Amino acid sequence: MKNLVFDVNVILDLWLERQPEDRLLLIAQLIESQKSGAAGCWIASPSLHVLEYLARQQFKKEGVEPARARQVVKRLLAHLLKNLRPLTCFGFQQDEALLAHSDLEDAQIIKAASVLHGPVAIVTNEKRFDTTGTDLVQLSPPQADLWLQDPAPLPAIAFIDLQAQQNRMRPVLEEKVHRVLHHGQYIMGPEIAELEAALAEYVGVKHSITVASGTDSLEIALRALGLGPGDEVITVPFTWISSAEIIGLVGATPVFVDIEPDSFNINVDLIEAAITPRTKAILPVSLFGQMPDYAAINAIAARHGLTVIEDGAQSFGATQQGRRSGGVTTIASTSFFPAKPLGCYGDGGALFTDDDELAEKMRAIRTHGGVRRHHHPLLGMNGRFDTLQAAVLLAKWPHFAGEVEARGRIGARYSEPLKDCCVTPGVLPGNTHVYAQYTIRVAERERVAEALKAQGIPTAVYYPKCLHEQPVFAELGYRWGDFPEAERASREVLSLPMHPGLTEREQDRVVAAVQAVVG
Amino acid sequence: MRVEALYDHGQIKFNPPIHFATECFPVIIQLPDAEVLAVTNSEAVEAPSATASPVGSHLLEDIREILGPLARRRPAVGVAEDKATLVEVLGEKYGIPKSKLGRD
């Protein structure tokens, strides 16, 4: 997305009506492009006091009583900050700003603008900024209007655009991260409890336990259930390795069950055939952002006295019959890996349960098996979620529901035109899909991927190899052909660019490119 | 107090200029009948327009509402003048005499 950083003189023109009406409307329109989503609109923090001084001085010259002038200008600034995002000029940028050829205020504006991702224009009445060494442009309001409308080719499409998301939430992100830097409780700070409460309420469970990674969350769940050598856990062979890796890590044995071709999730009809006297749990994966049929899975588990653990690493935000991923099994886990629907800026994860005893155990295992300081009745791990990462998620949290809605809309918009030329992801009745990945199936996958790459469209393959093909699981004795749907999926799947900020124009480019090569 | 004034494009200008004790107070003005084309009642003025407002107009309206009587057209000002005003303001704030402002 393009960004506009407004110079003081343009805002003063608007406030003090120093231009004709049509120009004032144009400036107002540019500012409102933030709300319409046409641009990210900013005011650099070093500009704020200048605006205050100059507006008050104008009113003073007009004979306005100082207290009244101050009140009016404060209200104007408050209104401005409701419509423009404040852009920070950091302490570490001051040295370079001081050494710039232009005056300090102008240099600070340039430094502040330079942290933004994507094209940035300074909207100003005078090209006086020294933008040497940056990609910033300086435009008058009419030029900025044309610039926003310019349909010039956009850069390559992002597979997942975390930078645009960061722009959208930057002021809150800075606030939340700064709060941690200030209070200094980097381990289990107050952000952890705040986030856990928000997550539990959202999922609809009694307990949410944040942990250091999605992988850790699964291992903690299995340890809390007491699983170990001699036990079997049913899962799928078509997923990220963590799902089966942690079964082996606790000493248990992964038992694979093939997937359904449409949803890529576990084939519920095949589960019971895999149950043995040693089976203790079923660990289905809600792959790519949609849940398998948990009503059926829970019923099977109940018949055989098994525990169900949802691996919801990719499905946080998805629902099934109105219940959210994380809230339909005895234990559920998710991942906050950056590319996930709710991703932090590092590794992270969470566990969910309604079971008080399991929650207590999982909390203890997360912290070296301790239930209070220097008292460790269990073997645990160093599995705590970082306070700074919790702060990042708290900054993202107000946007999350909207992003989930956008993901569903974008996924459906992909499927409509693509369903005629390739296999699109099926959505089970009663499910909503968050499309952590939008994954199609195509023959000649490499040819399609190359054709898209040539047009600046990235793709990815999740997953090119099934888990039973991995050397680490060779001792399980599985052979090629044991899981035909998983094996076929591993040869045909291709994930397309997918993120909540994907524009219709970008999506149309992707669709056209896919249709051109396979249509 | 009765004074002469000139109505000029939405503004009342007093001759000679007057300094008021407060910024906002009611006045009664006698207008020459020949200059009045029509009187629109306030309800009609405030009635929402049937046509769509141009983009940006709501934001502009918000600003004018905040400004109240201070909302008025002013002459264009260049960046250099704004900078000079800023120097002037900072001079006032920090007690620097005008004679010394702008000197390196």
Side-chain angles (χ1 to χ4, degrees):
Chain A
M1 182 184 285
K2 293 176 178 176
N3 294 281
L4 302 175
V5 179
F6 289 82
D7 192 12
V8 165
N9 49 58
V10 174
I11 300 300
L12 284 174
D13 283 352
L14 180 67
W15 283 357
L16 302 177
E17 300 192 27
R18 307 190 308 192
Q19 297 286 341
E21 186 75 5
D22 57 346
R23 181 67 165 257
L24 302 181
L25 274 171
L26 177 61
I27 297 169
Q29 180 185 327
L30 289 172
I31 291 173
E32 287 196 336
S33 57
Q34 161 108 354
K35 281 184 183 163
S36 70
C41 296
W42 306 84
I43 182 78
S45 52
S47 299
L48 293 173
H49 73 282
V50 180
L51 279 169
E52 183 186 23
Y53 285 153
L54 293 182
R56 276 170 55 183
Q57 189 72 352
Q58 177 63 38
F59 296 142
K60 179 183 171 187
K61 284 178 179 171
E62 293 173 6
V64 179
E65 191 227 341
R68 167 78 180 140
R70 190 179 306 116
Q71 181 198 34
V72 168
V73 174
K74 293 282 185 202
R75 287 186 64 199
L76 286 170
L77 283 165
H79 176 262
L80 189 73
L81 289 174
K82 278 185 185 170
N83 290 279
L84 297 179
R85 299 172 189 153
L87 187 55
T88 305
C89 186
F90 293 98
F92 66 82
Q93 295 176 311
Q94 301 304 314
D95 278 355
E96 284 189 14
L98 278 166
L99 294 172
H101 293 298
S102 56
D103 71 27
L104 182 60
E105 178 210 338
D106 291 353
Q108 287 173 325
I109 292 171
I110 294 300
K111 287 291 165 196
S114 66
V115 304
L116 292 173
H117 302 291
V120 181
I122 311 287
V123 185
T124 178
N125 293 329
E126 186 185 69
K127 289 188 177 181
R128 68 180 192 283
F129 293 92
D130 179 4
T131 56
T132 308
T134 74
D135 294 326
L136 305 175
V137 294
Q138 302 175 61
L139 305 172
S140 67
Q143 289 170 328
D145 186 39
L146 291 173
W147 185 70
L148 285 185
Q149 297 171 38
D150 182 5
L154 294 169
I157 294 172
F159 188 71
I160 294 171
D161 195 348
L162 295 176
Q163 294 185 334
Q165 184 196 49
Q166 189 180 93
N167 274 353
R168 285 195 294 277
M169 64 176 201
R170 174 169 277 281
V172 180
L173 178 67
E174 290 174 1
E175 177 201 341
K176 299 288 184 191
V177 170
H178 181 80
R179 185 179 160 209
V180 178
L181 298 181
H182 189 72
H183 66 54
Q185 297 177 59
Y186 308 120
I187 304 293
M188 299 302 285
E191 285 77 8
I192 296 291
E194 186 182 345
L195 178 67
E196 288 179 345
L199 295 173
E201 184 186 358
Y202 179 79
V203 169
V205 293
K206 284 171 72 178
H207 304 282
S208 163
I209 301 144
T210 55
V211 294
S213 71
T215 306
D216 279 359
S217 69
L218 290 170
E219 183 176 344
I220 290 169
L222 297 195
R223 289 191 185 283
L225 290 169
L227 301 189
D231 297 330
E232 291 178 355
V233 179
I234 292 172
T235 190
V236 286
F238 185 68
T239 183
W240 175 238
I241 195 164
S242 298
S243 313
E245 176 185 37
I246 48 89
I247 298 170
L249 274 176
V250 301
T253 304
V255 174
F256 296 127
V257 166
D258 207 359
I259 61 168
E260 294 175 335
D262 290 346
S263 68
F264 306 106
N265 281 331
I266 193 166
N267 186 332
V268 177
D269 294 337
L270 303 178
I271 291 176
E272 285 198 290
I275 295 173
T276 74
R278 292 181 297 280
T279 306
K280 293 293 190 299
I282 307 172
L283 198 157
V285 181
S286 302
L287 201 71
F288 297 151
Q290 116 167 281
M291 299 151 78
D293 185 351
Y294 280 109
I297 295 169
N298 284 334
I300 294 168
R303 281 200 295 276
H304 296 273
L306 309 177
T307 302
V308 181
I309 305 152
E310 180 192 10
D311 180 347
Q314 302 179 9
S315 60
F316 194 68
T319 62
Q320 184 163 87
Q321 307 295 349
R323 297 174 69 192
R324 289 207 164 100
S325 174
V328 297
T329 55
T330 301
I331 301 177
S333 79
T334 194
S335 166
F336 301 134
F337 185 79
K340 295 291 192 283
L342 181 63
C344 59
Y345 289 163
D347 271 314
L351 287 151
F352 306 98
T353 187
D354 276 324
D355 187 307
D356 295 342
E357 191 179 336
L358 280 173
E360 190 179 348
K361 275 188 183 174
M362 293 193 291
R363 281 201 184 91
I365 293 168
R366 167 181 72 175
T367 313
H368 301 287
V371 293
R372 61 179 185 272
R373 195 164 171 80
H374 301 305
H375 181 66
H376 305 265
L378 299 168
L379 277 178
M381 59 168 65
N382 184 359
R384 294 163 300 205
F385 190 43
D386 286 340
T387 308
L388 272 169
Q389 298 299 349
V392 171
L393 290 188
L394 286 172
K396 290 190 173 191
W397 190 242
H399 302 269
F400 183 65
E403 291 186 346
V404 165
E405 189 276 327
R407 284 177 174 278
R409 178 168 31 82
I410 292 166
R413 194 171 180 276
Y414 259 141
S415 293
E416 185 56 32
L418 289 177
K419 68 180 187 310
D420 296 328
C421 66
C422 56
V423 180
T424 55
V427 182
L428 294 181
N431 270 9
T432 61
H433 202 312
V434 291
Y435 296 103
Q437 307 296 341
Y438 184 87
T439 303
I440 59 173
R441 304 174 74 127
V442 286
E444 297 186 86
R445 177 174 67 198
E446 282 67 32
R447 186 171 70 88
V448 177
E450 282 301 315
L452 267 61
K453 186 180 176 186
Q455 297 180 52
I457 300 169
T459 58
V461 176
Y462 303 110
Y463 300 89
K465 198 183 253 190
C466 292
L467 297 186
H468 65 287
E469 299 176 79
Q470 294 290 352
V472 69
F473 295 125
E475 66 182 25
L476 297 176
Y478 291 112
R479 294 178 181 172
W480 179 261
D482 284 348
F483 308 104
E485 290 299 342
E487 291 158 7
R488 189 159 71 92
S490 71
R491 291 194 304 268
E492 296 181 351
V493 289
L494 186 68
S495 297
L496 304 178
M498 182 66 189
H499 56 88
L502 194 70
T503 65
E504 292 191 354
R505 188 173 169 223
E506 289 173 322
Q507 212 179 357
D508 291 344
R509 274 177 64 194
V510 178
V511 168
V514 174
Q515 287 173 330
V517 68
V518 300
Chain B
M1 177 180 176
R2 288 168 63 91
V3 294
E4 271 192 20
L6 174 69
Y7 174 80
D8 182 8
H9 292 86
Q11 293 186 37
I12 299 287
K13 295 177 180 173
F14 297 102
N15 188 18
I18 303 170
H19 295 285
F20 295 111
T22 58
E23 293 302 319
C24 183
F25 52 89
V27 293
I28 294 173
I29 295 176
Q30 189 173 351
L31 299 172
D33 289 342
E35 300 294 342
V36 178
L37 284 178
V39 177
T40 309
N41 66 42
S42 57
E43 285 179 5
V45 169
E46 290 170 8
S49 166
T51 56
S53 304
V55 178
S57 62
H58 291 304
L59 190 130
L60 199 51
E61 282 169 17
D62 288 347
I63 291 170
R64 284 173 173 156
E65 189 184 324
I66 292 168
L67 287 167
L70 297 175
R72 68 181 69 118
R73 176 67 57 77
R74 294 176 175 84
V77 171
V79 172
E81 288 170 83
D82 278 339
K83 290 272 181 188
T85 304
L86 180 61
V87 171
E88 182 185 315
V89 177
L90 292 175
E92 288 174 16
K93 180 173 181 180
Y94 296 107
I96 302 168
K98 277 191 176 178
S99 58
K100 292 190 176 178
L101 289 176
R103 294 181 186 175
D104 290 330

Coordinates of all heavy atoms in Angstrom, one line a residue, chain A residues 237-239 259 264 288 441-442 445-446 461-469 480 483-494:
Chain A
P237 N -0.1 -38.0 7.9 CA 1.2 -38.0 7.3 C 1.5 -36.7 6.5 O 2.6 -36.5 6.0 CB 1.3 -39.2 6.5 CG -0.1 -39.4 6.1 CD -1.0 -38.9 7.2
F238 N 0.4 -35.9 6.2 CA 0.5 -34.8 5.4 C 0.3 -33.5 6.2 O -0.8 -33.0 6.4 CB -0.6 -34.8 4.3 CG -0.4 -33.7 3.3 CD1 0.6 -33.6 2.4 CD2 -1.4 -32.7 3.2 CE1 0.8 -32.6 1.5 CE2 -1.2 -31.6 2.3 CZ -0.2 -31.6 1.4
T239 N 1.5 -33.0 6.8 CA 1.5 -31.9 7.7 C 2.9 -31.5 7.9 O 3.8 -32.1 7.4 CB 0.7 -32.2 9.0 OG1 0.7 -31.0 9.8 CG2 1.5 -33.3 9.8
I259 N -5.4 -38.8 4.5 CA -6.2 -37.6 4.5 C -7.4 -37.6 3.5 O -7.4 -38.5 2.7 CB -5.4 -36.3 4.2 CG1 -4.7 -36.5 2.8 CG2 -4.3 -36.2 5.3 CD1 -4.1 -35.2 2.3
F264 N -7.7 -31.8 2.8 CA -6.4 -32.2 3.2 C -6.3 -32.6 4.7 O -5.2 -32.8 5.2 CB -5.4 -31.1 3.0 CG -5.3 -30.5 1.6 CD1 -5.9 -29.3 1.3 CD2 -4.8 -31.3 0.6 CE1 -5.9 -28.8 0.0 CE2 -4.7 -30.8 -0.7 CZ -5.3 -29.6 -1.0
F288 N -4.1 -26.0 6.9 CA -4.3 -24.8 6.0 C -5.4 -23.8 6.5 O -5.6 -22.9 5.8 CB -4.7 -25.3 4.6 CG -3.6 -26.1 3.9 CD1 -3.9 -27.1 3.0 CD2 -2.2 -25.9 4.3 CE1 -2.9 -27.8 2.4 CE2 -1.2 -26.7 3.7 CZ -1.6 -27.6 2.7
R441 N -4.7 -27.7 -6.1 CA -4.0 -28.9 -6.6 C -4.0 -28.8 -8.1 O -5.0 -28.5 -8.8 CB -4.8 -30.2 -6.2 CG -5.1 -30.3 -4.8 CD -6.0 -31.5 -4.5 NE -5.2 -32.7 -4.7 CZ -5.2 -33.7 -3.8 NH1 -5.9 -33.6 -2.7 NH2 -4.5 -34.8 -4.0
V442 N -2.8 -29.0 -8.6 CA -2.6 -28.9 -10.1 C -1.6 -30.0 -10.5 O -0.7 -30.4 -9.8 CB -2.0 -27.5 -10.5 CG1 -3.0 -26.4 -10.5 CG2 -0.8 -27.2 -9.7
R445 N 2.9 -29.2 -11.3 CA 3.0 -28.1 -10.3 C 4.2 -27.2 -10.6 O 4.1 -26.0 -10.5 CB 3.1 -28.7 -9.0 CG 3.3 -27.7 -7.9 CD 3.2 -28.4 -6.5 NE 4.4 -29.3 -6.3 CZ 4.4 -30.3 -5.4 NH1 3.3 -30.4 -4.6 NH2 5.4 -31.0 -5.2
E446 N 5.3 -27.8 -10.9 CA 6.6 -27.0 -11.2 C 6.4 -26.1 -12.3 O 6.8 -24.9 -12.2 CB 7.8 -28.0 -11.4 CG 8.3 -28.6 -10.1 CD 7.3 -29.6 -9.5 OE1 6.6 -30.2 -10.2 OE2 7.3 -29.7 -8.3
V461 N 5.1 -24.7 -1.7 CA 4.6 -26.1 -1.6 C 4.6 -26.5 -0.2 O 5.7 -26.7 0.5 CB 5.5 -27.0 -2.5 CG1 4.9 -28.5 -2.3 CG2 5.4 -26.6 -3.9
Y462 N 3.4 -26.7 0.4 CA 3.2 -27.3 1.7 C 2.4 -28.5 1.5 O 1.2 -28.4 1.3 CB 2.5 -26.3 2.6 CG 3.2 -25.0 2.8 CD1 2.7 -23.8 2.3 CD2 4.4 -24.9 3.5 CE1 3.4 -22.6 2.5 CE2 5.1 -23.7 3.7 CZ 4.5 -22.5 3.1 OH 5.2 -21.4 3.3
Y463 N 2.9 -29.7 1.5 CA 4.3 -30.1 1.9 C 4.8 -31.0 0.8 O 4.0 -31.9 0.3 CB 4.3 -30.8 3.2 CG 3.7 -29.9 4.3 CD1 2.4 -29.8 4.5 CD2 4.6 -29.0 5.0 CE1 1.9 -28.9 5.5 CE2 4.1 -28.1 5.9 CZ 2.7 -28.1 6.2 OH 2.2 -27.2 7.1
P464 N 6.0 -30.9 0.3 CA 6.4 -31.7 -0.8 C 6.7 -33.2 -0.5 O 6.9 -34.0 -1.4 CB 7.7 -31.0 -1.3 CG 8.2 -30.4 0.0 CD 7.0 -30.0 0.8
K465 N 6.8 -33.5 0.8 CA 7.1 -34.8 1.2 C 6.3 -35.2 2.4 O 6.1 -34.4 3.3 CB 8.6 -34.9 1.6 CG 9.2 -36.3 1.6 CD 10.6 -36.3 2.1 CE 11.6 -36.5 0.9 NZ 13.0 -36.7 1.4
C466 N 5.7 -36.4 2.3 CA 4.9 -36.9 3.5 C 5.8 -37.3 4.6 O 6.9 -37.6 4.4 CB 4.0 -38.0 3.1 SG 2.7 -37.6 1.9
L467 N 5.2 -37.3 5.8 CA 6.0 -37.6 7.0 C 6.5 -39.0 7.0 O 7.6 -39.3 7.5 CB 5.2 -37.3 8.3 CG 4.8 -35.8 8.5 CD1 4.2 -35.7 9.9 CD2 6.0 -34.9 8.4
H468 N 5.7 -40.0 6.4 CA 6.2 -41.3 6.4 C 7.3 -41.6 5.4 O 7.9 -42.6 5.4 CB 5.0 -42.3 6.1 CG 4.4 -42.2 4.7 ND1 3.6 -41.1 4.3 CD2 4.5 -43.0 3.6 CE1 3.3 -41.3 3.1 NE2 3.8 -42.4 2.6
E469 N 7.6 -40.5 4.6 CA 8.7 -40.6 3.7 C 10.0 -40.0 4.4 O 11.1 -40.1 3.8 CB 8.5 -39.8 2.4 CG 7.3 -40.3 1.6 CD 7.1 -39.3 0.4 OE1 7.8 -39.4 -0.5 OE2 6.2 -38.5 0.5
W480 N 5.8 -46.3 0.6 CA 5.1 -45.5 -0.4 C 3.9 -46.3 -0.9 O 4.0 -47.4 -1.2 CB 6.1 -45.2 -1.6 CG 5.4 -44.4 -2.7 CD1 4.8 -44.9 -3.8 CD2 5.2 -43.0 -2.7 NE1 4.3 -43.8 -4.6 CE2 4.5 -42.7 -3.9 CE3 5.5 -42.0 -1.8 CZ2 4.1 -41.3 -4.2 CZ3 5.2 -40.7 -2.1 CH2 4.5 -40.4 -3.3
F483 N -0.4 -44.3 2.0 CA -1.3 -43.2 2.2 C -1.5 -42.4 0.9 O -0.9 -41.4 0.6 CB -0.8 -42.2 3.3 CG -0.4 -42.9 4.6 CD1 0.9 -43.2 4.9 CD2 -1.4 -43.4 5.4 CE1 1.2 -43.9 6.0 CE2 -1.1 -44.1 6.6 CZ 0.2 -44.3 6.9
P484 N -2.3 -43.0 0.0 CA -2.3 -42.5 -1.4 C -2.8 -41.1 -1.5 O -2.3 -40.3 -2.4 CB -3.3 -43.5 -2.1 CG -4.0 -44.2 -1.0 CD -3.1 -44.2 0.2
E485 N -3.8 -40.7 -0.7 CA -4.2 -39.3 -0.8 C -3.2 -38.3 -0.3 O -3.0 -37.2 -0.9 CB -5.5 -39.1 -0.1 CG -6.7 -39.8 -0.7 CD -7.1 -39.3 -2.1 OE1 -6.6 -38.2 -2.5 OE2 -7.8 -40.0 -2.8
A486 N -2.5 -38.6 0.7 CA -1.5 -37.7 1.2 C -0.3 -37.7 0.2 O 0.2 -36.6 -0.1 CB -0.9 -38.3 2.6
E487 N 0.0 -38.8 -0.4 CA 1.1 -38.8 -1.3 C 0.7 -38.0 -2.6 O 1.5 -37.3 -3.1 CB 1.4 -40.3 -1.7 CG 2.1 -41.0 -0.5 CD 1.9 -42.5 -0.6 OE1 1.4 -43.1 -1.6 OE2 2.3 -43.2 0.4
R488 N -0.5 -38.2 -3.0 CA -1.0 -37.4 -4.2 C -0.9 -35.9 -3.9 O -0.5 -35.1 -4.7 CB -2.4 -37.9 -4.6 CG -2.8 -37.3 -5.9 CD -3.9 -38.1 -6.5 NE -5.2 -38.0 -5.8 CZ -6.1 -37.1 -6.2 NH1 -6.0 -36.3 -7.2 NH2 -7.3 -37.0 -5.5
A489 N -1.4 -35.6 -2.7 CA -1.4 -34.2 -2.3 C 0.0 -33.6 -2.3 O 0.3 -32.5 -2.8 CB -2.0 -34.0 -0.9
S490 N 1.0 -34.4 -1.8 CA 2.3 -33.9 -1.7 C 2.9 -33.6 -3.1 O 3.9 -32.9 -3.3 CB 3.2 -34.9 -1.0 OG 3.4 -36.0 -1.7
R491 N 2.4 -34.3 -4.1 CA 2.8 -34.1 -5.5 C 2.1 -32.9 -6.2 O 2.6 -32.4 -7.2 CB 2.6 -35.4 -6.3 CG 3.5 -36.5 -5.9 CD 3.5 -37.6 -7.0 NE 2.2 -38.1 -7.3 CZ 1.6 -39.1 -6.8 NH1 2.2 -39.8 -5.8 NH2 0.4 -39.5 -7.1
E492 N 0.9 -32.6 -5.7 CA 0.0 -31.7 -6.5 C -0.2 -30.3 -5.9 O -0.6 -29.4 -6.5 CB -1.3 -32.3 -6.8 CG -1.2 -33.6 -7.7 CD -2.6 -34.2 -7.9 OE1 -3.6 -33.8 -7.3 OE2 -2.7 -35.1 -8.7
V493 N 0.0 -30.2 -4.6 CA -0.4 -29.0 -3.9 C 0.5 -27.8 -4.3 O 1.7 -27.9 -4.5 CB -0.4 -29.1 -2.4 CG1 -1.6 -30.0 -1.9 CG2 0.9 -29.6 -1.8
L494 N -0.2 -26.6 -4.4 CA 0.6 -25.4 -4.6 C -0.2 -24.3 -3.9 O -1.4 -24.1 -4.1 CB 0.6 -25.1 -6.1 CG 1.5 -23.9 -6.6 CD1 2.9 -24.2 -6.3 CD2 1.2 -23.6 -8.0

